[in-house]
Amino acid sequence: MKRLNKSSSILVGSAVATASVGLPMAAQCSEELFSTNDLASGYMLAEAETVKMPEGKCGEGKCGSMGKTKAPVAEGGKGEAAKMAEGKCGAGMKMGEGSCGADMGMAGMDMDEKGMVMNANSDTLPRDCKKISEDVSFTVKAGTAHATHNGTIFGFDSNEWNVKPCSRVTVRFINEDSVRHQWMMHGLPKYIYPEGMFHLEVNGPGERTGTFIVASDAKTMLVHCDISQHMQKGMKGQFKVNGGSGDLPSIPGISGSIYPDSYKRMKPSKK
Amino acid sequence: MIKRNVLATAVVVSMGLLTACENGSSLKTDSGKTISIPAYKEPPPTQKAEMGKVRMAEVCPETIDASWREKQVIEGVEISASKLCSPDNPFDIATFVKGTNNVSMATLMETQLSPDTVTKGDDLDGDGDPDVIRIRLEVAEINGRDPDLDTPFPAYDIAPGVQPGFWVFAPKTRGMVVANNETTYANPYIRMPSPAIRVEQGDKIELVLENTHYFPHTIHLHGVDHPYMQEDGSGNDGVPQTFPSPEGAMVQPGESFTYRFQPRQTGTMVYHCHVQTGTHILMGLIGMFIIEENRPNNWVQTFNVGDGHVRHSSVAIKEVYDREYDLQYIGSDKELHNIIQQYNDPRLIAEAMNQHYKLADRKPEYFTLNGKSFPYTIPESLVIVAPNEKVKLRMFNGGEDMLAMHTHGHKATITHYDGIEHNPSAQITRDIYSLMGAQRVDLELNTTNDGLHNYGEGVWLFHDHNEFGITTDSAMPGGNVSVIVYESFLTENGLPRVNGTDLTKFFTNEYYDRTYPVWGTLENADKFGIVDRNQ
């Protein structure tokens, strides 16, 4: 109950903040204002419809969802599939460090064999920001060691981050496991960040640091590790700008699930 | 006897339905008795059959880049034509052949692979191909539970709308688990079955299991030449109970473990998880591990995602065969595969799966060939051939149930049992290939029209002759049915050209959730339709 009170007070707080400073901007950014909705219901797609693929998209199977630009699925998918630097990396047969070095980066994406930063932005201001309000830095640790809540296996060392409108945020993401983890954020202004995403990915033990600038509206954005079942098993957080627009579901320690588990005693399965 | 039955019925009718028959009539029998006959009542009408959305466009989108089907060279890698409606991404093939460390960023970007998925280097024997191969596998869940969704996630259809939960080994990828931001469907690498892996005889292999899953897993190299222990004393066999060191005995969530081996022998072998095998293998953690003969300049295609057509066969295979296909069969029990959709809390999943699921009562409802059931086998698991060819089929029973695979129109020769060559002068040619759990046969399919090996061109079914194997949760046709189709019988879009019954209805969810009648597209469909009980 305490938790509920807390989140509703945040909601009220954000509403006040929006009313006093945010409204003039709301019209301009209405498209963005609604995207929290997309996330809560969407990524996603809580609708009963199992398949929500526009005609011709092939969301499953082997069919062309990967790179081919003609398959519309590609344009939806990866901002990273955007333009890329030509040039062969490491034609040699040397083993080890991997020959694709750090400067294979491209507009929107910086990738090497240890990980990637996608859609980093430390200069371009969202339309509703006249200037950067402040510089904020977070360190986020990720791994099984941070799965501190019952029923979780993976975790971040914190599950909520709060910043002021128009903050420039630098996230240092430390992966303490020996497998891939991600700090993937959805809901940033799409006119700056392809698909509205900012993304840090670390291929194993190690870290990545990236910077982005948030807009001004009160908004809660999804942060998760989008490796199969990592979010569901604990690696989920929320990023609130200007007090946020509420809580997302299933944030460990913060919010409940829409379809919670039943902990009733089990019976042996029978045919 | 007949008379007595009539009388008995008459008695029942006259006693039981007397009131209902007030407006009926009566019949005087030969023996002088009177039977009352009920009034006519029109039986309920046939339900209007609603076929629902035809999902052909999703599995065979017209937007797919037709150039993917062509024979081509990428990064110097020859990739054979694949006329399938849904061909493998040729950039994946090139990357798996060269290694993620040896292709350009441009090529890597056409895939969703991680830069360290497969690294290749060090030509140890100086014969022009890399011999130190590092392969990274992750463990992915398919059709699992999301506590905020009422549908499985990430979604994967074995047939229209049919989504059992699975676990698979998958090549290490990057980015999102879904195909794009607008769908809950998994990306193309997160799919059944665990992919066939190919290496060359004598390669120094580092097989890295990066356990991205929430349960412990291992890799056991079934039939693959590997030492029990590594040089540093750690283990290699993937069997938790007999592992020589605690490290790697079970690879815990978030941990990785490297298996090291240098296989001296060739053949179609197997890799699978050896933790709680009764459930983990059946959940999907099993695939083919193929060791190709050592040849000069022999760059092998490390992964065959989704199995099926091998678009870059090894040098030794190309010496003998015109084409090569990997065929993995699995039968799946609904009860087991539903568990990960019932619970999100891993403790509940572990309890349900390991304490309550009755393996001995197991009865499979789903039967897949390369991770799909008919009709979804058609877009990607056809065996496409031409006359007078030799085609290599690696047939693997990745499930528990006896297979009786039958090839219409062909009698193939079994060249290898469990990866070992059978005495060439005593090889057996037959039309049914029987496989118990984990068994493999290598088949030579000869398409010479001699009345023995082949009876001519056509669209020839191949399927399990256990009838349940060609069903999907008892709906027929489904299961592991696919087709050997000659190129002359293939449409431009990679589909078999047939004029039999309309296949459209099989591409709907309604057919497999059985709200659409089995003969619903016939002209006289009403005669065999589903009765409208609401009328």
Side-chain angles (χ1 to χ4, degrees), chain B residues 188-210:
Chain B
Y189 303 86
I190 309 292
R191 59 160 297 157
M192 281 281 282
S194 294
I197 297 176
R198 277 178 165 70
V199 300
E200 193 190 26
Q201 181 182 18
D203 277 354
K204 267 183 123 161
I205 312 292
E206 292 186 9
L207 185 61
V208 187
L209 172 59
E210 298 192 354

Side-chain angles (χ1 to χ4, degrees), chain A residues 234-249:
Chain A
M235 266 195 181
K236 186 174 186 182
Q238 55 187 3
F239 193 99
K240 291 181 172 176
V241 177
N242 198 3
S245 48
D247 283 329
L248 297 173

Side-chain angles (χ1 to χ4, degrees), chain B residues 136-325:
Chain B
R136 288 176 195 274
L137 286 172
E138 297 183 333
V139 182
E141 181 159 308
I142 297 167
N143 293 327
R145 185 172 171 92
D146 182 297
D148 304 317
L149 283 179
D150 59 358
T151 55
F153 184 86
Y156 171 83
D157 285 359
I158 59 168
V162 182
Q163 304 178 326
F166 292 110
W167 297 336
V168 287
F169 292 112
K172 188 176 184 180
T173 49
R174 63 173 201 271
M176 299 197 295
V177 68
V178 286
N180 64 62
N181 263 330
E182 284 144 39
T183 180
T184 57
Y185 275 91
N187 75 50
Y189 303 86
I190 309 292
R191 59 160 297 157
M192 281 281 282
S194 294
I197 297 176
R198 277 178 165 70
V199 300
E200 193 190 26
Q201 181 182 18
D203 277 354
K204 267 183 123 161
I205 312 292
E206 292 186 9
L207 185 61
V208 187
L209 172 59
E210 298 192 354
N211 188 7
T212 46
H213 194 242
Y214 53 78
F215 282 156
H217 298 292
T218 64
I219 293 175
H220 170 64
L221 293 155
H222 176 131
V224 181
D225 173 28
H226 65 278
Y228 169 68
M229 277 165 80
Q230 305 185 15
E231 278 171 15
D232 66 358
S234 61
N236 239 357
D237 197 36
V239 180
Q241 296 82 354
T242 60
F243 220 65
S245 65
E247 192 211 6
M250 285 204 279
V251 186
Q252 297 295 328
E255 290 184 355
S256 89
F257 186 79
T258 303
Y259 302 87
R260 293 183 173 84
F261 52 104
Q262 197 168 6
R264 293 163 290 182
Q265 303 291 333
T266 61
T268 309
M269 304 302 174
V270 179
Y271 69 106
H272 63 79
C273 174
H274 219 293
V275 176
Q276 290 291 312
T277 44
T279 49
H280 286 210
I281 289 180
L282 294 169
M283 283 297 288
L285 295 173
I286 184 165
M288 273 187 267
F289 198 100
I290 297 157
I291 302 110
E292 302 281 3
E293 288 174 33
N294 192 7
R295 290 285 192 284
N297 300 309
N298 191 20
W299 294 68
V300 300
Q301 184 186 323
T302 307
F303 283 105
N304 187 10
V305 173
D307 287 4
H309 186 205
V310 184
R311 293 189 72 178
H312 182 89
S313 288
S314 71
V315 171
I317 294 300
K318 277 190 271 191
E319 286 166 3
V320 181
Y321 295 99
D322 298 284
R323 310 178 201 237
E324 181 184 12
Y325 294 89

Side-chain angles (χ1 to χ4, degrees), chain A residues 271, chain B residues 332-335 363-367 471-474:
Chain A
K271 274 282 170 189
Chain B
S332 304
D333 177 20
K334 210 190 228 181
E335 271 67 28
K363 235 175 186 292
E365 284 90 358
Y366 304 119
F367 300 89
T471 62
T472 297
D473 199 7
S474 295

Side-chain angles (χ1 to χ4, degrees), chain A residues 141-157 159 175 177-182 225 227-236 252, chain B residues 139 141 210-217 252-255 346:
Chain A
K141 293 178 182 170
T144 48
H146 300 288
T148 51
H149 294 280
N150 292 339
T152 62
I153 296 289
F154 305 104
F156 297 131
D157 65 346
N159 298 89
N175 180 357
D177 279 347
S178 297
V179 302
R180 266 192 312 144
H181 283 306
Q182 305 168 334
C225 177
I227 293 169
S228 187
Q229 287 294 322
H230 285 207
M231 169 173 79
Q232 291 77 4
K233 303 296 184 265
M235 266 195 181
K236 186 174 186 182
Chain B
V139 182
E141 181 159 308
E210 298 192 354
N211 188 7
T212 46
H213 194 242
Y214 53 78
F215 282 156
H217 298 292
Q252 297 295 328
E255 290 184 355

Side-chain angles (χ1 to χ4, degrees), chain B residues 284-495:
Chain B
L285 295 173
I286 184 165
M288 273 187 267
F289 198 100
I290 297 157
I291 302 110
E292 302 281 3
E293 288 174 33
N294 192 7
R295 290 285 192 284
N297 300 309
N298 191 20
W299 294 68
V300 300
Q301 184 186 323
T302 307
F303 283 105
N304 187 10
V305 173
D307 287 4
H309 186 205
V310 184
R311 293 189 72 178
H312 182 89
S313 288
S314 71
V315 171
I317 294 300
K318 277 190 271 191
E319 286 166 3
V320 181
Y321 295 99
D322 298 284
R323 310 178 201 237
E324 181 184 12
Y325 294 89
D326 297 335
L327 307 171
Q328 176 165 346
Y329 292 90
I330 291 185
S332 304
D333 177 20
K334 210 190 228 181
E335 271 67 28
L336 173 64
H337 296 268
N338 279 349
I339 292 173
I340 58 172
Q341 297 174 356
Q342 283 165 17
Y343 306 104
N344 184 47
D345 189 325
R347 299 169 299 174
L348 298 176
I349 297 171
E351 185 187 346
M353 200 174 271
N354 302 320
Q355 261 79 41
H356 297 288
Y357 174 65
K358 294 282 189 197
L359 186 57
D361 291 344
R362 173 183 176 276
K363 235 175 186 292
E365 284 90 358
Y366 304 119
F367 300 89
T368 52
L369 160 60
N370 295 343
K372 298 279 176 176
S373 296
F374 177 86
Y376 281 1
T377 47
I378 300 301
E380 50 175 73
S381 276
L382 297 178
V383 170
I384 297 173
V385 299
N388 305 312
E389 286 186 340
K390 277 186 179 174
V391 180
K392 178 146 180 114
L393 306 178
R394 298 183 195 261
M395 197 174 269
F396 169 44
N397 185 351
E400 289 279 287
D401 315 288
M402 180 78 173
L403 268 181
M405 284 309 303
H406 172 45
T407 45
H408 288 209
H410 299 79
K411 291 183 174 67
T413 303
I414 303 170
T415 60
H416 297 69
Y417 288 94
D418 300 339
I420 310 299
E421 189 178 21
H422 196 58
N423 179 354
S425 60
Q427 287 178 357
I428 292 165
T429 300
R430 60 185 306 190
D431 58 20
I432 295 274
Y433 322 100
S434 314
L435 289 173
M436 301 292 285
Q439 287 184 339
R440 293 84 68 202
V441 288
D442 290 14
L443 299 176
E444 180 182 298
L445 188 77
N446 183 333
T447 58
T448 307
N449 180 3
D450 58 6
L452 170 67
H453 298 96
N454 164 236
Y455 325 148
E457 294 180 57
V459 179
W460 299 101
L461 226 53
F462 72 99
H463 61 87
D464 195 350
H465 229 288
N466 295 309
E467 292 303 312
F468 55 74
I470 58 169
T471 62
T472 297
D473 199 7
S474 295
M476 186 184 263
N480 55 35
V481 178
S482 190
V483 182
I484 300 170
V485 52
Y486 282 70
E487 284 186 342
S488 57
F489 280 82
L490 209 57
T491 68
E492 200 175 291
N493 233 2
L495 295 172

